[in-house]
């Protein structure tokens, strides 16, 4: 436990040292709460609802309360303006003329109007790790990290909204080939040589946003311009609208008023009068509203409504379907509704209108300002924030602060109250929030004896939590304070049957075991003295209980051993990775570009069969067990389809960000388009040239991505040698002789002699010149020129410092072994080798070992050994302790480490219908955890207050050590 506390302290120190993490700031907008903030998923007054809009599209609505950037000193807590805020969020966006629902402090409202603009910033400079403010907008530009290809830098950035949310991290470079150059690629279908260019543009387009980089380096960057949409004003209706049939040249009564409709060639002249018709309040030509999105433009919106502020009404004319009239229960539940084939014109009268302005006070409470956050792709409303506009001070004498006043049909009242007391110097021991139902949270100081050093918390289940805790979610999920969190399975009447788990992800409720002795996770340094994290992990996916036959089945590719580093593993650099618990050194790799042409990609859906199980059939494979392409998301920008494609790795993880493609969006000023996406995609060694982009399928003209065929490695540490002409060195059973050194040409002549002195092989290694340095270390052909490999031994040039005083600096390897894709593992043929690359380059990204045949666990075979090493020793063992033929009630994994058997907790503390699990922490595990981050964090709190919750603190969080980075 003492060791765990030390790891916890180290993890928190590292997280708190990051810019914007856990530190108070004058302007906390765009910054995250402290890394050790309290998270509680539920409070009665914070709603999570799914409603349909006028077109039948589902909208997931959520609310949360966030406190960030607080400081405690001398028994007093200080919260800066913008540190305490309420946030309401909708899935994707909310736009006018769709009757999109929204939540405002617990009240069900409808968005009816928006005023939009564009923010532009020029000459933005920042250093790696910075979250640089963009003027006084509340937005920040984040330089997350940088890496290289061909020793040239590129970086990952994000534009962070005031709430701390961001849609994605975007890659950008100023030193590599441009996006449009992929049109010049013409390769045959199948496996091709590596591309000699790395394609990554200096401009990133994201619908309504555009980011132009001037210079991206390893440690700093400068942007020529940053442009994204903003919302200046939003109008909501706090009541469900009233719908009236339109009668031409006649009127309908609305309460004590008449609404006339006089037909005109381009719409209706709408007139609103008093009850008798004698007094005209307002009249205007109004066009009927249909589903075309261009009508949400600023220069179009006014044509489709009549708003009368003094009467507090807004009148629109819509087309309602002839069936289920006046109801939101229409057939469309997902995707885009293009209107109705038949129906009737109707007035829609919105009332109880509330107009809020960005940066201005909330109408009912001047202590809080309104922040309107758009979807950075569409420019429409995504979030509404209400944040404090004055400093807040809390101490034992003044221990509460009221939230903003909410609208109510009964009585307007404060939406919540933050209460903090029990201050003792620089800690607080009691912190809770009470809502407008007079319900309160638990004490958010989980360990009152120790106290919290800040008031920071996140209360609610809004998706904005995910980007907010980007840098601390792994530490949270790895918290061992309550043991291994195990969620009960949902049992059905039919067993799940999966024939092959390739490209599958584990069950989203699979237990996560962050640390198991025997699985290695350590730092090392390469020849450039760069710190590299290497980690092993275990994944079981697609498993199920076959209760008809009283057995547990792990399908082919279901049991995966995975080993990877924090980035790709490079040759000519002395870089290593772990293989079955032992450190291995990469020596060579064989890879190429796999190309497919002229194929159709269906829109991807998880379609349940009659038994409730999911069926996948739309994946398009890119080579055998290499990668798969999925059309996973589709949206519209001014009615043009935007395809969101995902490149799935064999492990089941998505590589990189989504690929956004659209056609027909001209970015010239003359075209007047407010959105733009490129028509081709390129990122590193992956490119897509589409022929047609539709709402239901994409026709791909050409697609290429890296593919790795084999690697070689050794468990023996490489040895440095410096040889001049005539010098020799021992190399395995042979003698390595230097026959000549030409530093000017960049070559070294080497020969290999047997015991009798006979030359058995010879090679001139190099040349290491400017052309070679331009392509190293990623180019396989050039890398091989720097190496002299004969059987299981190898000598290579030190490309970092090749020559000194007329001699050549070399590195030698012995005991080299081969790993070839889709072949049985040498020491355990029950498992097959699956080396993998990412989509950027051609070097090793991950080593996978998985089962080619199903694994059966039952009463007679309750255990199964994982992959064995050269000594025949398994790395781990699966043990089923209790299984009644239908429910797994107890099982665990165990390893042998330093002569001791190490076991996990019971991974079925609550009954399970599978043995899916995530063990260890590396990039593959992190990617899977991201898919279920919010529900996992929520269930951890349910677990905390349940029967597993101890009375005293058991341990701190497990230090994940800085996980391998998987981009959003």
């Amino acid at each position: 436990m003492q060791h765990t506390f030390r790891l916890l302290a180290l993890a928190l120190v590292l997280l708190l040292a990051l810019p914007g993490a856990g530190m108070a700031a004058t302007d906390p907008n765009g910054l995250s709460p402290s890394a050790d903030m309290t998270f509680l998923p539920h409070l009665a007054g914070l709603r999570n609802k799914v409603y349909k809009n006028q077109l039948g599209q589902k909208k997931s609505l959520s609310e949360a309360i966030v406190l960030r950037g607080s400081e405690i000193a001398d028994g007093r807590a200080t919260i800066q303006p913008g540190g305490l805020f309420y946030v309401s969020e909708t899935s994707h966006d909310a736009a006018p003329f769709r009757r999109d629902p929204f939540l405002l402090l617990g009240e069900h409202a409808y968005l009816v109007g928006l005023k939009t603009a564009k923010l532009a910033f020029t000459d933005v400079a920042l250093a790696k790790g910075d979250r640089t403010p963009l003027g006084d907008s509340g937005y920040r530009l984040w330089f997350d990290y940088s890496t290289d290809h061909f020793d040239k830098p590129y970086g990952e950035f994000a534009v962070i909204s005031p709430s701390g949310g961001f849609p994605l991290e975007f890659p950008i470079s100023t030193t590599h080939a441009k996006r449009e150059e992929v049109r010049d690629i013409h390769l045959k279908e199948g496996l091709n040589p590596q591309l000699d260019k790395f394609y990554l543009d200096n401009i990133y387009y994201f619908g309504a946003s555009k980011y132009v980089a001037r210079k991206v380096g390893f440690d700093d960057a400068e942007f020529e311009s940053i442009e994204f949409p903003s919302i200046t004003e939003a109008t909501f209706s706090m009541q469900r609208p009233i719908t009236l049939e339109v009668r031409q040249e006649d009127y309908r009564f609305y309460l004590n008023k008449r609404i006339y409709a006089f037909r005109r060639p381009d719409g209706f002249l709408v007139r609103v009068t008093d009850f008798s018709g004698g007094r005209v309040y307002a009249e205007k030509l109004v066009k009927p509203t249909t589903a075309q999105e261009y009508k949400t433009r600023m220069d179009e919106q006014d044509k489709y409504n009549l708003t009368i502020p003094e009467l507090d009404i807004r009148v629109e004319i819509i087309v309602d379907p002839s069936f289920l009239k006046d109801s939101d229960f229409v057939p469309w539940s997902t995707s885009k509704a293009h209107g109705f084939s038949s129906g009737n014109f109707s007035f829609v009268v919105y009332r109880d209108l509330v107009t809020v302005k960005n940066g201005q006070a909330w109408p009912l409470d001047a202590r809080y300002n309104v922040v309107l956050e758009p979807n950075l792709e569409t420019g429409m409303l995504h979030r509404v924030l209400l944040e404090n506009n004055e400093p807040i001070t809390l101490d034992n004498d003044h221990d509460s602060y009221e939230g903003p006043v909410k609208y109510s049909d009964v009585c307007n009242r404060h939406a919540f109250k933050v209460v903090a007391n029990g201050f003792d110097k620089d800690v607080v021991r009691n912190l809770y929030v009470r809502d407008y139902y007079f319900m309160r949270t638990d004490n958010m100081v989980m360990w009152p004896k120790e106290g919290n050093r800040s008031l920071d918390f996140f209360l609610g289940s809004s998706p904005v939590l995910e980007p907010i805790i980007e840098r601390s979610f792994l530490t949270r999920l790895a918290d061992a304070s309550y043991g291994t969190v195990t969620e009960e399975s949902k049992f059905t009447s039919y067993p799940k049957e999966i024939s092959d788990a390739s490209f599958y992800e584990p069950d989203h409720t699979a237990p996560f075991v962050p640390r198991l002795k025997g699985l290695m996770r350590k730092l090392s340094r390469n020849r450039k003295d760069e710190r590299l994290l290497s980690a092993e992990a275990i994944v079981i996916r697609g498993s199920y209980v076959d209760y008809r036959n009283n057995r547990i089945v792990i399908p082919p590719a279901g049991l995966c051993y995975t080993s990877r580093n924090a980035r790709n593993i490079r040759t000519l650099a002395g870089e290593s990775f772990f293989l079955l618990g032992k450190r291995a050194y990469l020596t060579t790799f064989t890879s190429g570009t796999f190309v497919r042409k002229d194929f159709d990609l269906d829109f991807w859906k998880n379609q349940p069969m009659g038994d409730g199980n999911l069926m996948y059939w739309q994946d398009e494979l890119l080579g055998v067990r290499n990668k798969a392409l999925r059309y996973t998301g589709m949206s519209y920008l001014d009615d043009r389809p935007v395809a969101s494609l995902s490149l799935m790795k064999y492990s089941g993880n998505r590589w990189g960000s989504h690929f956004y493609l659209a056609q027909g969006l001209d970015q010239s000023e003359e075209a007047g388009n407010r959105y733009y996406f490129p028509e081709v995609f390129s990122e590193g060694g992956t490119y897509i040239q589409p022929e047609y982009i539709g709402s239901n399928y994409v026709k791909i003209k050409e697609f290429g991505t890296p593919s790795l065929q084999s690697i070689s490695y050794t468990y023996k540490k490489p040895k440095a040698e410096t040889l001049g002409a005539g010098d020799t060195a021992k190399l395995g059973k042979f003698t390595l002789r230097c026959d000549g050194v030409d530093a000017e040409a960049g070559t070294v002549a080497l020969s290999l002699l047997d015991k009798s002195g006979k030359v058995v092989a010879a090679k001139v290694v190099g040349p290491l010149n400017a052309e070679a340095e331009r392509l190293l270390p990623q180019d396989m052909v050039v890398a091989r020129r720097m190496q002299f490999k004969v059987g299981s031994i190898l000598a290579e040039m030190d490309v970092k410092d090749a020559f000194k005083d007329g001699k050549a600096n070399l590195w030698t390897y012995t005991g080299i072994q081969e790993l070839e894709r889709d072949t049985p593992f040498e020491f355990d043929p029950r498992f097959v080798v699956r080396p993998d690359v990412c989509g950027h380059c051609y070097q090793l990204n991950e080593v996978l070992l998985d089962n080619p045949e199903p694994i059966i666990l039952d009463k007679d075979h309750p255990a199964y050994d994982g992959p064995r090493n050269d000594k025949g020793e398994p790395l781990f063992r699966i043990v089923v302790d209790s299984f009644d033929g239908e429910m797994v009630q107890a099982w665990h994994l165990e390893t042998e480490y330093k002569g001791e058997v190490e076991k996990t907790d019971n991974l079925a503390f609550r009954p399970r219908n599978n043995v899916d699990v995530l063990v260890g922490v590396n990039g593959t595990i992190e990617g899977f955890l991201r898919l279920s981050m919010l529900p996992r964090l929520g269930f951890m709190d349910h677990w905390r207050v349940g029967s597993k919750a101890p009375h005293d603190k058991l341990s701190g969080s497990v230090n994940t050590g800085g996980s391998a980075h998987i981009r959003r």
Side-chain angles (χ1 to χ4, degrees):
M1 187 171 71
Q2 182 181 11
H3 179 61
T4 305
F5 277 126
R6 288 175 179 172
L7 290 175
L8 171 62
L10 176 61
L12 293 180
V13 166
L14 290 173
L15 284 167
L16 293 171
L18 293 170
M23 56 182 292
T26 302
D27 179 12
N29 281 310
L31 298 180
S32 299
S34 63
D36 59 348
M37 72 170 187
T38 301
F39 166 65
L40 293 181
H42 302 297
L43 183 63
L46 297 175
R47 304 176 66 190
N48 286 269
K49 294 290 185 179
V50 176
Y51 295 112
K52 290 182 180 180
N53 66 6
Q54 175 182 311
L55 302 176
Q57 297 165 313
K58 288 183 178 178
K59 297 291 182 177
S60 298
L61 311 180
S62 59
E63 298 179 297
I65 304 168
V66 184
L67 198 156
R68 59 188 174 186
S70 62
E71 282 188 332
I72 302 177
D74 300 324
R76 176 176 297 176
T78 304
I79 305 166
Q80 299 294 332
L84 172 64
F85 67 90
Y86 157 89
V87 57
S88 176
E89 182 172 359
T90 182
S91 54
H92 196 55
D93 66 12
F97 309 124
R98 296 194 311 218
R99 200 185 297 163
D100 276 332
F102 219 89
L103 296 176
L104 291 178
L105 295 171
E107 297 298 313
H108 186 181
Y110 298 90
L111 178 71
V112 297
L114 281 181
K115 289 186 179 180
T116 60
K118 179 159 285 191
L119 293 176
F121 303 91
T122 59
D123 303 324
V124 179
L126 70 167
K128 184 170 64 174
D130 284 354
R131 295 191 176 197
T132 298
L134 296 173
D136 58 358
S137 64
Y139 287 79
R140 294 175 182 266
L141 180 62
W142 180 30
F143 188 171
D144 183 10
Y145 80 102
S146 65
T147 185
D148 72 284
H149 191 90
F150 297 147
D151 278 337
K152 296 178 180 178
Y154 64 94
E156 292 279 340
F157 300 83
V159 172
I160 302 178
S161 301
S163 64
F166 54 89
L168 82 169
E169 291 184 36
F170 57 91
I172 205 163
S173 170
T174 54
T175 55
H176 292 103
K178 303 301 182 186
R179 179 186 304 108
E180 289 296 322
E181 293 182 42
V182 301
R183 297 185 186 274
D184 299 327
I185 299 175
H186 301 288
L187 301 175
K188 64 179 179 64
E189 193 159 20
L191 193 61
N192 293 266
Q194 294 182 10
L195 299 174
D196 59 2
K197 290 183 179 180
F198 185 88
Y199 297 91
L200 192 57
D201 214 293
N202 73 313
I203 304 177
Y204 190 88
Y205 296 98
F206 187 58
S209 301
K210 178 182 178 182
Y211 316 124
V212 183
R214 178 180 293 135
K215 172 185 169 294
V216 175
F218 288 106
D219 299 313
D220 51 40
E222 184 177 346
F223 278 76
E224 182 179 313
S225 63
I226 298 286
E227 298 178 14
F228 54 88
S230 68
I231 298 174
T232 59
E233 184 177 296
T235 300
F236 297 90
S237 171
M238 303 302 294
Q239 300 288 342
R240 184 170 177 82
I242 293 175
T243 306
L244 309 169
E245 289 184 354
V246 171
R247 295 181 180 177
Q248 182 179 322
E249 314 303 319
D250 203 349
Y251 64 88
R252 296 300 310 274
F253 276 114
Y254 164 69
L255 302 179
N256 61 346
K257 300 172 182 63
R258 295 184 181 186
I259 303 179
Y260 289 84
F262 302 101
R263 185 172 179 178
R264 297 293 184 265
D266 51 352
F268 291 89
L269 179 65
V270 176
R271 178 182 298 159
V272 179
T273 71
D274 61 8
F275 184 81
S276 65
R279 178 185 176 187
V280 177
Y281 292 112
E283 65 177 17
K284 180 184 174 184
L285 181 68
V286 176
K287 293 184 176 182
T289 301
T290 47
Q292 293 79 14
E293 290 186 352
Y294 74 86
K295 295 172 182 176
T296 62
R297 290 172 176 268
M298 284 297 298
D299 57 350
E300 290 285 335
Q301 286 190 40
D302 192 55
K303 301 175 183 178
Y304 299 93
N305 72 91
L306 169 60
T307 300
I308 310 175
E310 55 271 25
L311 298 182
D312 194 27
I313 64 171
R314 174 186 170 109
V315 182
E316 297 175 7
I317 298 176
I318 66 168
V319 178
D320 263 335
S322 55
F323 57 94
L324 295 176
K325 190 176 183 316
D326 304 341
S327 172
D328 289 340
F329 296 95
V330 292
W332 296 276
S333 293
T334 60
S335 76
K336 166 81 173 180
H338 288 283
F340 309 106
S341 57
S342 62
N344 302 305
F345 281 126
S346 297
F347 288 121
V348 175
V349 184
Y350 293 100
R351 54 212 167 113
D352 287 351
L353 302 179
V354 175
T355 297
V356 294
K357 297 182 178 181
N358 188 57
Q360 302 297 313
W362 174 243
L364 293 184
D365 196 333
R367 299 172 304 137
Y368 286 84
N369 281 354
V370 177
V371 178
L372 303 173
E373 292 187 0
N375 179 308
L376 295 182
E377 177 190 359
T378 65
M380 299 294 106
L381 184 64
H382 191 194
R383 300 184 191 97
V384 172
L385 276 63
L386 303 180
E387 62 179 25
N388 65 302
N389 56 24
E390 57 187 20
I392 300 172
T393 300
L394 297 175
D395 54 34
N396 289 328
D397 296 325
H398 306 86
D399 65 352
S400 66
Y401 192 80
E402 302 278 6
V405 176
K406 70 185 296 292
Y407 287 92
S408 172
D409 291 332
V410 179
C411 176
N412 293 348
R413 58 196 184 275
H414 293 284
F416 60 87
K417 178 193 288 187
V418 178
V419 179
N421 48 46
F423 288 98
D424 182 7
K425 296 182 180 178
D426 58 351
V427 299
V428 63
R429 305 191 191 280
N430 189 39
L431 172 66
Y432 65 89
V433 174
R434 189 180 298 279
D435 65 22
Y436 55 90
Y437 289 130
F438 302 103
M439 304 291 287
R440 56 156 286 181
T441 66
D442 293 341
N443 183 4
M444 290 191 282
V445 180
M446 297 301 178
W447 315 108
K449 289 182 180 179
E450 298 176 12
N452 282 7
R453 294 186 177 275
S454 76
L455 302 183
D456 290 12
F457 63 78
F458 190 105
L459 179 57
S461 296
S462 174
V464 75
L465 172 68
E466 296 183 17
I468 281 179
I469 63 168
E470 164 73 18
R471 292 178 294 190
S472 64
F473 85 95
L474 262 178
T475 305
R476 291 175 175 279
L477 291 177
D479 189 343
S481 297
Y482 307 108
T484 301
V485 177
T486 307
E487 187 171 350
E488 185 175 4
S489 294
K490 294 181 180 179
F491 291 87
T492 63
S493 300
Y494 296 89
K496 179 174 63 175
E497 294 190 19
I498 295 175
S499 58
D500 192 306
S502 301
F503 302 101
Y504 271 58
E505 63 215 27
D507 189 321
H508 285 197
T509 66
F512 170 44
V513 182
R515 186 173 62 189
L516 179 61
K517 290 182 179 180
L519 293 181
M520 305 305 292
R521 182 181 175 82
K522 291 186 177 181
L523 289 167
S524 64
R525 292 185 182 272
N526 62 10
R527 292 174 195 161
K528 290 184 177 181
D529 203 36
E530 297 171 324
R531 288 162 51 94
L532 301 174
L533 177 66
S534 304
E536 299 177 296
I538 303 165
V539 175
I540 299 180
R541 55 183 179 174
S543 64
Y544 59 94
V545 171
D546 179 4
Y547 64 79
R548 293 190 179 102
N549 297 302
N550 298 318
R551 63 182 188 171
I552 302 166
V553 180
I554 302 176
L559 174 57
C560 297
Y561 161 83
T562 165
S563 176
R564 60 186 292 177
N565 288 5
R567 62 155 171 77
N568 56 27
I569 307 164
R570 304 176 181 183
T571 58
L572 300 174
E575 296 188 358
S576 62
F577 60 98
F578 284 109
L579 186 58
L580 297 183
K582 293 176 63 178
R583 188 173 292 280
Y585 297 86
L586 182 68
T587 53
T588 66
F589 67 99
T590 302
S591 59
T593 304
F594 192 89
V595 174
R596 280 198 63 184
K597 295 187 175 185
D598 302 321
F599 64 96
D600 298 325
L601 183 63
D602 291 355
F603 186 68
W604 193 83
K605 298 177 182 177
N606 305 340
Q607 298 290 3
M609 296 171 283
D611 57 10
N613 289 317
L614 299 179
M615 179 68 183
Y616 310 86
W617 75 93
Q618 295 102 338
D619 285 357
E620 289 294 335
L621 298 182
L622 309 166
V624 179
R625 295 183 178 87
N626 177 24
K627 293 184 179 67
L629 191 62
R630 290 178 183 170
Y631 185 177
T632 51
M634 187 277 301
S635 59
Y636 286 88
L637 293 179
D638 284 348
D639 293 305
R640 293 177 175 86
V642 177
S644 174
L645 310 184
S646 295
L647 185 60
M648 306 305 299
K649 299 175 63 178
Y650 176 74
S651 65
N653 266 305
R654 186 186 79 221
W655 170 71
S657 300
H658 295 290
F659 311 157
Y660 293 97
L661 294 169
Q663 293 176 322
L665 292 170
D666 189 343
Q667 61 176 322
S668 65
E669 292 187 9
E670 295 78 14
N673 288 321
R674 53 180 171 169
Y675 305 120
Y676 182 73
F677 274 111
E679 294 188 0
V680 296
F681 170 85
S682 67
E683 188 175 334
T686 297
Y687 67 94
I688 301 176
Q689 299 181 41
E691 185 172 312
Y692 170 76
I693 298 170
S695 61
N696 207 33
Y697 90 105
V698 174
K699 185 172 182 61
I700 304 292
K701 180 180 179 182
E702 185 171 324
F703 179 94
T705 192
S707 176
L708 185 66
Q709 279 68 58
S710 65
I711 65 168
S712 67
Y713 69 97
T714 179
Y715 288 123
K716 298 180 179 180
K717 192 173 183 178
K719 183 180 178 183
E721 302 283 359
T722 299
L723 302 179
D727 293 341
T728 61
K730 189 70 174 175
L731 186 55
K733 297 179 180 180
F734 300 91
T735 299
L736 178 69
R737 185 178 69 195
C738 177
D739 297 324
V741 176
D742 189 341
E744 186 175 346
T747 60
V748 182
L750 299 174
S751 57
L752 198 65
L753 302 107
D754 61 15
K755 290 182 179 180
S756 65
K758 180 182 177 181
V759 176
V760 296
K763 180 180 180 181
V764 176
V765 178
L768 182 59
N769 52 23
E771 180 61 22
E773 291 176 345
R774 185 181 68 82
L775 297 173
L776 287 177
Q778 281 84 5
D779 190 279
M780 178 189 71
V781 174
V782 177
R784 294 281 179 90
R785 291 175 186 162
M786 308 298 138
Q787 297 175 322
F788 178 31
K789 184 174 183 292
V790 180
S792 62
I793 59 176
L794 178 146
E796 67 184 19
M797 296 177 66
D798 186 339
V799 296
K800 181 175 175 287
D801 186 15
F803 304 100
K804 184 177 182 181
D805 300 330
K807 294 186 177 184
N809 293 323
L810 306 173
W811 290 90
T812 59
Y813 298 79
T814 59
I816 295 174
Q817 304 174 58
E818 308 289 334
L819 285 180
E820 186 175 347
R821 171 184 288 280
D822 301 333
T823 61
F825 182 53
E826 179 180 4
F827 303 116
D828 193 342
R830 300 174 305 146
F831 289 84
V832 174
V833 177
R834 318 285 192 194
D836 201 3
V837 292
C838 69
H840 278 134
C841 72
Y842 297 86
Q843 293 194 315
L844 177 65
N845 178 255
E846 179 176 21
V847 173
L848 284 166
L849 301 177
D850 66 12
N851 56 306
E853 301 295 333
I855 297 171
I856 306 299
L857 298 167
D858 55 22
K859 182 179 180 180
D860 297 324
H861 306 89
Y864 188 84
D865 287 347
R868 301 185 178 103
N869 60 20
D870 55 349
K871 297 179 181 179
E873 301 167 339
L875 180 68
F876 61 89
R877 174 176 292 179
I878 302 169
V879 181
V880 177
D881 302 297
S882 178
F883 173 54
D884 63 7
E886 295 186 4
M887 295 189 297
V888 183
Q889 295 170 328
W891 77 282
H892 70 272
L893 285 170
E894 62 184 39
T895 61
E896 186 174 333
Y897 182 70
K898 295 184 178 181
E900 299 288 335
V901 175
E902 302 288 342
K903 298 181 180 181
T904 66
D905 293 340
N906 178 11
L907 301 178
F909 177 82
R910 295 181 176 180
R912 307 250 333 142
N913 61 8
N914 61 63
V915 290
D916 284 13
V917 72
L918 304 168
V919 184
V921 177
N922 67 8
T924 298
I925 298 293
E926 181 180 346
F928 290 139
L929 291 176
R930 286 182 184 278
L931 299 174
S932 54
M933 183 195 307
L934 194 54
R936 279 182 181 274
L937 288 169
F939 186 78
M940 283 184 72
D941 185 67
H942 175 72
W943 182 265
R944 174 184 66 83
V945 300
S947 60
K948 284 288 287 187
H951 295 291
D952 296 312
K953 186 173 183 179
L954 300 178
S955 69
S957 301
V958 172
N959 175 29
T960 61
S963 64
H965 188 79
I966 296 294
R967 292 175 298 117
R968 296 177 61 79

